[in-house]
Amino acid sequence: MKKGVTFYFMRHGETYLNKYNRMQGWSDTPLTPRGRRDVMRSGAGLGDVKFDAVYCSDLRRTFETAQIILKENQHADHLKVVAMPEFREIFFGSFEGLDASETWGNLNKFLGSANGEPNYDAHRSVIEELNGLKEMDPYHEAEDYMTFWLRVERGLIKLIREHRDSERNILIVSHGMTIRNMIHAVIPDFSIDRHLDNASISVVRYEDGFYHLDLYNGTDHFVDDFTPGDEQEPEVHKVTPADKVEEDVK
């Protein structure tokens, strides 16, 4: 019987910059009430999944998401969230905090799209996308593809060395573009056709030296939302700095 390890990549819940449709890479804002509720719904739907380890990026929004997920899980009493900067979102340089639709539209035009829409049918790659963003940045401080991929690959290698052939389930709470572009890099026939939803799950199994995509952008596991109104606050969970692991206040 073949042995491997299964990675559950979750995008963080909706943040205030997500809500305002702003570029959010290394900049960081807390989850909105809707974001916390959706994470709780996602976590409850995964409540029976026994995770053997939990990792997140070193940004607050992923740490907050991971803590909520553990509160909703039936097997998480012994788990601690480990922050890994390797799984941080792409750095957008001087575009951080700007209007997202306008910024991506300008990038698409910069890359040759007359109408400002991405042209993935023409085999445009995420390499071209990130390299173009760095070139378009007046300060040239946005992450290019190689910078992004080398740090993410470091994180993957660390986890493969730690968990390979263990038959473990590993939860990694990260970011939309990081997860999308990571999957694009490790799954040869994966084509980008949509962005990741907040609190969605993408499942990747590593076995015999190869990555296999079992699920992308999964949200069918969300439990029903019985909270009235988008701005209703759910149960408040304690949030600690993402570079520390502390016990929740009882």
Side-chain angles (χ1 to χ4, degrees), residues 26-243:
W26 289 7
S27 56
D28 208 11
T29 52
L31 303 187
T32 64
R34 175 183 174 181
R36 294 191 189 98
R37 284 205 320 279
D38 283 346
V39 172
M40 292 172 71
R41 295 172 61 206
S42 183
L46 297 169
D48 290 333
V49 178
K50 184 181 183 300
F51 294 115
D52 298 286
V54 180
Y55 301 90
C56 68
S57 83
D58 61 347
L59 296 175
R60 168 181 174 164
R61 57 191 186 267
T62 62
F63 194 83
E64 183 176 4
T65 297
Q67 285 201 317
I68 296 172
I69 293 297
L70 293 189
K71 276 186 169 288
E72 300 296 331
N73 194 270
Q74 307 298 319
H75 312 283
D77 290 345
H78 65 293
L79 293 177
K80 301 290 185 182
V81 181
V82 178
M84 294 181 64
E86 291 91 343
F87 296 121
R88 183 184 284 204
E89 181 59 292
I90 291 162
F91 181 47
F92 296 124
S94 66
F95 302 119
E96 292 276 343
L98 299 186
D99 182 88
S101 297
E102 181 179 348
T103 302
W104 290 116
N106 289 338
L107 175 63
N108 293 329
K109 291 177 182 178
F110 184 79
L111 295 176
S113 172
N115 61 4
E117 295 294 327
N119 187 12
Y120 293 116
D121 290 338
H123 304 291
R124 168 177 151 187
S125 71
V126 297
I127 298 175
E128 181 184 6
E129 189 173 75
L130 294 190
N131 289 347
L133 198 65
K134 182 179 182 69
E135 187 177 351
M136 193 176 73
D137 180 6
Y139 295 89
H140 303 299
E141 291 182 346
E143 266 188 313
D144 60 20
Y145 180 80
M146 188 56 65
T147 304
F148 158 77
W149 173 242
L150 287 177
R151 69 170 168 84
V152 170
E153 185 182 41
R154 269 197 317 272
L156 284 173
I157 290 172
K158 284 181 183 179
L159 296 191
I160 293 298
R161 286 174 176 168
E162 177 72 19
H163 301 291
R164 68 182 302 157
D165 301 331
S166 65
E167 288 301 301
R168 293 172 180 166
N169 293 319
I170 310 301
L171 176 64
I172 303 172
V173 184
S174 187
H175 307 267
M177 287 196 65
T178 296
I179 297 171
R180 186 197 73 165
N181 291 356
M182 187 187 331
I183 292 174
H184 183 271
V186 301
I187 305 294
D189 57 350
F190 174 75
S191 60
I192 296 170
D193 60 355
R194 63 192 185 280
H195 293 292
L196 286 170
D197 294 325
N198 290 109
S200 65
I201 282 286
S202 297
V203 181
V204 176
R205 182 167 175 82
Y206 181 81
E207 188 176 84
D208 292 339
F210 295 96
Y211 294 92
H212 308 273
L213 181 63
D214 293 337
L215 177 67
Y216 181 72
N217 196 37
T219 57
D220 289 345
H221 64 283
F222 280 30
V223 301
D224 291 337
D225 185 2
F226 297 107
T227 306
D230 281 349
E231 300 308 315
Q232 181 79 21
E233 281 282 358
E235 176 189 352
V236 175
H237 297 280
K238 182 187 176 189
V239 180
T240 57
D243 59 347

